[in-house]
Amino acid sequence: MDAITLTGLTKTYGTLTAVDALDLTVPAGQIMALLGPNGAGKSTTTEMVLGLTRPDAGSVAVFGADPITAMRRGEVGAMLQNGVLLWDVPVRRLLILMHGLYAHPLPLEEVIERADLGPILKSNTNKLSGGEAQRVRFALAMMADPRLLILDEPTVGMDVDARRTFWATMDTLTAEGRTVVFATHYLDEADEFADRIVVLNAGRIAADGTGSEIKAVVGGRRIGFAGPARDYAGLPGVVGQEQRGARTVLTSADSDATLRALLADPSVRDVEVSAPSLEDAFLSLVS
Amino acid sequence: MTTRLDDRPTLAPAAAAPVHAAPTGSTGGNRRLLHYLGQSLLIQLRDWAFLGFVIVMPTTVYLFFAGIFGSQPSESGPSVAALMMVTMATYGGLGAAMNAGSQIQSERSSGWFRQLMLTALAPGQFVLAKIATAIAVLIPAIGAVFLAGVALGVRLEAAVWAASFALIIAALLPMIVLGLVIGLWFKPQTATAVTTLSMLALAMLGGLWFPLDLMPAGMQAIGRLLPSYWASQIGGWPLAGGEFPWQGVIVLAVWLATLAALGGLGYRRAIRTSRR
């Protein structure tokens, strides 16, 4: 069964169309990244999947049910963007409070262990560091023992190490066959951890595929070399040129043809061919 | 630009995802409501400042006024200290009820309410739990003033104590809802001020500080339309005797119905807006 089925999903706020007739299916077990600039509709989409926002048109099905029913059944867990915690309460008390509110929660000790909350159980929620608070939010997201995890920018504000640790923890959860949908600004993160990347722009799908497929959509290769700084636009396949210090970087739609012509010049040396980063792919997709 | 790739990855799950026979019936719902209520109470009990405020304030005011006027002999019926005890307990309960009710505000505006909506707890259960928590806060607020009454020599039969206690709580139900309504309709900065101002107005005009009888006729007429006045009258009935103030029940019912309607509207609006 599909974890999420969105059909013609639309949400407008005043004159702004946040989500525009979105059709999207997420099969169970998939790890999908939602990428897009601010205002692309990532948060609005996740809120509609969670039943926190009602669509103006179209429908959301979560494991074949409406979002609120799926939530009641404990099939969905979520980390909200800028999610807050109950103020001025010890972490343990907060966990106990929430633990009784799910249909079939994971054992509390297991939640504490997985989110590494042991050392901060007695800390007050208003005294947690950003990373600690995020771990508590993560604990709340998995507490329901959900089949679908929705994470809205889960690693925002984390340093590289914390991000790695976070995703390592996620690996154990996804190995159990859970579906994960995460929104992110970190393109390397999407490329590294998702099976599939959906790029949203202005409430629509701008691209949908694996990280390498997204890059292929943009096409082209970058060819960097040291050599005489002159105009290379005449070479076959060249669509762009950039000077970076002593190095020239060409963007080519047909790198093979460009290279054959380029290497005929013996003063061209130290050639480097690379695929554009996901960041570049992303920028050209949404522009 | 929309680009669709034919070859979409569709990974089979590494293992079957956990599937549960979820207890979603009313039994599970009631269990969750009771759990949330119990835990909310425990968290409320940790709030010493709030509890101190709702207990110390009315008790102090009672001891002060009773110290001045309480020794006056009453011509018939209960002593002035006893009657004053009931009005002050109503005043204490009023503050507790409205403040507890308006605490819904902080959870709504902070966004914590959104997190709660990601559990199996239904929004209606959340509101029920808030009302029940507020009722629980009334118990120490009213109880403290009653204890102060005992200390000042008020002696009543057990049944009268119990009846007065229960009637004050029941009659303050519209005030709890008023607190909720304020919490649902006003912004955080204004909600506290509106709560305090309404509480003071209800206390003064409702004759909780000075008997209504001492006020001009116009103010008396206003007072008799207020739920605070009737809460103290109904709460004092077991002591004063006479005919039960049914007129007050009608006034309270009208207030309750109006506030509940406003609360329902505000609640729907709160769900919409807090879910942004």
Side-chain angles (χ1 to χ4, degrees):
Chain A
M1 189 192 290
D2 290 324
I4 303 175
T5 310
L6 308 180
T7 315
L9 195 67
T10 302
K11 181 73 189 177
T12 55
Y13 294 109
T15 55
L16 174 80
T17 303
V19 176
D20 191 358
L22 196 65
D23 292 314
L24 182 67
T25 302
V26 183
Q30 190 170 67
I31 300 172
M32 194 194 90
L34 266 182
L35 263 182
N38 283 329
K42 303 188 298 291
S43 288
T44 307
T45 304
T46 55
E47 281 172 4
M48 285 191 281
V49 172
L50 294 171
L52 291 176
T53 299
R54 200 173 295 178
D56 293 329
S59 68
V60 181
V62 179
F63 294 110
D66 72 276
I68 291 182
T69 304
M71 192 64 77
R72 297 265 187 284
R73 289 178 182 158
E75 296 191 311
V76 190
M79 279 172 83
L80 298 171
Q81 194 182 358
N82 308 322
V84 296
L85 299 172
L86 192 58
W87 196 241
D88 195 18
V89 172
V91 169
R92 176 181 276 284
R93 181 125 308 283
L94 179 75
L95 294 176
I96 293 172
L97 166 76
M98 296 303 275
H99 193 256
L101 303 183
Y102 297 101
H104 48 76
L106 285 172
L108 198 53
E109 293 314 310
E110 191 181 333
V111 173
I112 291 168
E113 193 187 326
R114 284 196 184 199
D116 189 22
L117 297 182
I120 56 168
L121 281 178
K122 288 180 179 160
S123 309
N124 248 6
T125 49
N126 50 346
K127 301 225 168 85
L128 300 177
S129 73
E132 288 168 342
Q134 197 71 335
R135 262 151 56 203
V136 176
R137 283 191 278 272
F138 172 64
L140 296 181
M142 71 169 158
M143 194 178 261
D145 192 15
R147 283 202 280 167
L148 168 65
L149 267 166
I150 300 208
L151 314 167
D152 198 352
E153 305 197 15
T155 59
V156 69
M158 288 188 189
D159 60 26
V160 176
D161 279 349
R163 224 186 291 171
R164 292 232 161 260
T165 315
F166 175 82
W167 284 107
T169 317
M170 286 306 296
D171 275 349
T172 62
L173 283 176
T174 54
E176 293 159 1
R178 291 174 220 267
T179 312
V180 178
V181 172
F182 68 97
T184 181
H185 278 175
Y186 300 116
L187 308 169
D188 52 340
E189 184 171 84
D191 196 16
E192 192 168 348
F193 299 105
D195 306 326
R196 174 186 177 192
I197 298 174
V198 169
V199 182
L200 279 187
N201 186 44
R204 292 186 196 173
I205 294 177
D208 180 351
T210 61
S212 53
E213 284 170 329
I214 297 287
K215 287 182 236 176
V217 169
V218 182
R221 292 286 184 272
R222 289 165 169 277
I223 301 168
F225 56 88
R230 58 167 191 263
D231 189 2
Y232 291 93
L235 295 181
V238 171
V239 292
Q241 177 175 351
E242 215 181 321
Q243 200 65 37
R244 291 182 186 171
R247 290 181 71 78
T248 305
V249 179
L250 302 178
T251 307
S252 168
D254 184 349
S255 55
D256 295 349
T258 310
L259 280 171
R260 275 189 198 100
L262 184 68
L263 291 172
D265 181 347
S267 61
V268 169
R269 54 187 201 286
D270 209 2
V271 181
E272 223 175 51
V273 182
S274 61
S277 69
L278 196 54
E279 196 113 36
D280 295 323
F282 179 67
L283 285 175
S284 52
L285 276 169
V286 300
S287 62
Chain B
M1 177 178 87
T2 298
T3 314
R4 288 209 169 268
L5 304 172
D6 295 333
D7 190 15
R8 286 200 204 165
T10 48
L11 290 193
V19 179
H20 305 267
T24 49
S26 62
T27 319
N30 290 336
R31 175 182 62 75
R32 286 190 284 274
L33 172 59
L34 289 176
H35 171 86
Y36 180 68
L37 175 57
Q39 292 297 321
S40 299
L41 278 176
L42 280 177
I43 289 170
Q44 182 83 74
L45 280 177
R46 291 181 70 256
D47 196 346
W48 292 106
F50 175 68
L51 284 181
F53 172 75
V54 302
I55 291 172
V56 171
M57 175 83 168
T59 311
T60 312
V61 177
Y62 170 59
L63 289 173
F64 180 71
F65 281 110
I68 298 172
F69 305 109
S71 55
Q72 289 179 4
S74 180
E75 287 164 18
S76 61
S79 68
V80 173
L83 287 177
M84 205 176 262
M85 178 187 79
V86 172
T87 54
M88 275 302 144
T90 309
Y91 166 63
L94 176 70
M98 291 186 61
N99 279 300
S102 69
Q103 283 193 332
I104 202 172
Q105 216 294 325
S106 60
E107 294 189 11
R108 181 173 72 85
S109 63
S110 76
W112 176 245
F113 181 64
R114 277 158 64 92
Q115 190 70 47
L116 278 176
M117 290 304 99
L118 299 181
T119 68
L121 189 75
Q125 292 179 316
F126 172 73
V127 173
L128 271 182
K130 287 287 154 208
I131 292 176
T133 312
I135 291 176
V137 174
L138 289 183
I139 293 170
I142 297 171
V145 179
F146 275 25
L147 283 178
V150 173
L152 289 183
V154 175
R155 296 289 177 268
L156 300 169
E157 286 172 39
V160 174
W161 281 115
S164 178
F165 198 87
L167 282 172
I168 294 176
I169 289 179
L172 283 174
L173 187 59
M175 300 296 87
I176 294 176
V177 181
L178 176 60
L180 286 173
V181 167
I182 293 172
L184 287 169
W185 280 97
F186 289 91
K187 290 196 173 74
Q189 308 87 314
T190 38
T192 317
V194 172
T195 303
T196 308
L197 285 177
S198 326
M199 192 184 82
L200 291 178
L202 284 166
M204 265 192 285
L205 298 173
L208 298 185
W209 287 357
F210 299 101
L212 217 56
D213 302 341
L214 301 181
M215 297 182 190
M219 285 178 74
Q220 285 194 31
I222 294 174
R224 282 180 222 288
L225 293 175
L226 293 180
S228 43
Y229 171 74
W230 290 109
S232 71
Q233 292 301 303
I234 291 173
W237 173 74
L239 286 73
E243 201 176 330
F244 187 78
W246 288 109
Q247 191 196 342
V249 177
I250 296 168
V251 173
L252 289 179
V254 170
W255 274 88
L256 184 59
T258 311
L259 289 168
L262 272 175
L265 282 176
Y267 172 66
R268 242 169 257 166
R269 175 177 160 276
I271 289 183
R272 271 204 317 276
T273 53
S274 80
R275 289 183 162 187
R276 268 297 295 136

